[in-house]
Amino acid sequence: TVGSYWVYDWYTVDSAGNSTWDPNQTDSVYIAGDTIIGTDTFAIQVGTWFGGAFSPPFRNYLRNLNGDLVTPSGSIIFSATNYTDTFYIWNPGNGQTMGYRKMIDIGEIVTVPVGTFRTLNAAFIVVNLVGTWSCFGIYDIHDNQYAENIGMVRTSFQFIGSCQALEGRLRTYYIAP
């Protein structure tokens, strides 16, 4: 809904699970409006990712299609109902890695600064096709955990050369009526 927003704080998490808040990395995401693409209405989502450190502010176009969050190209980035299919496959063509998006960890309880939620994880999983990564084995899992009627409450990613993960945790949000 136009006017809805989410604010995330970022944490570094070491291999033992200890987390450290980074006060210099905060993101905000909001619904700026909607637009027609083809014959479908999409929400315009605007925001930053990791405090803008890796990219300028982004603009996504998303719509709800029978419980799925869908892009204009038809890619499913989240599903509230389909826990078996692979939604997206990424292959850079280098023969070393590939990735895919799949719903995993259905019903996992997640605690973030704003509260505790039962979540669905629209994970993006990168597979090492030629060996293992020192900290992750062959799978590098990027979590995108969503809570019903809230949106994404936690996201994570890691750098292959490090045994640390970075987590974005929902600090506050507002869902416009």
Side-chain angles (χ1 to χ4, degrees), residues 51-99:
F54 297 117
S55 62
F58 64 81
R59 179 179 295 260
N60 289 331
Y61 300 93
L62 303 168
R63 73 181 179 115
N64 183 327
L65 179 63
N66 302 320
D68 294 341
L69 200 53
V70 180
T71 68
S73 68
S75 293
I76 298 171
I77 63 167
F78 168 83
S79 180
T81 59
N82 184 338
Y83 309 137
T84 57
D85 292 337
T86 298
F87 299 126
Y88 169 79
I89 296 178
W90 166 77
N91 185 343
N94 63 13
Q96 297 178 10
T97 59
M98 67 161 289

Side-chain angles (χ1 to χ4, degrees), residues 11-16 133-137 139-142 157-166:
Y11 296 77
T12 301
V13 182
D14 66 22
S15 59
W133 288 304
S134 60
C135 298
F136 312 117
Y139 298 106
D140 177 11
I141 300 173
H142 301 246
F157 69 96
Q158 47 278 334
F159 295 105
I160 301 305
S162 167
C163 291
Q164 295 182 331
L166 299 175

Side-chain angles (χ1 to χ4, degrees), residues 41-52:
T41 302
F42 288 83
I44 304 169
Q45 181 190 56
V46 178
T48 57
W49 188 68
F50 198 61

Side-chain angles (χ1 to χ4, degrees), residues 14-37:
D14 66 22
S15 59
N18 302 308
S19 63
T20 304
W21 173 54
D22 184 344
N24 298 313
Q25 303 296 343
T26 298
D27 287 319
S28 63
V29 177
Y30 63 96
I31 304 300
D34 58 34
T35 189
I36 304 291
I37 300 175

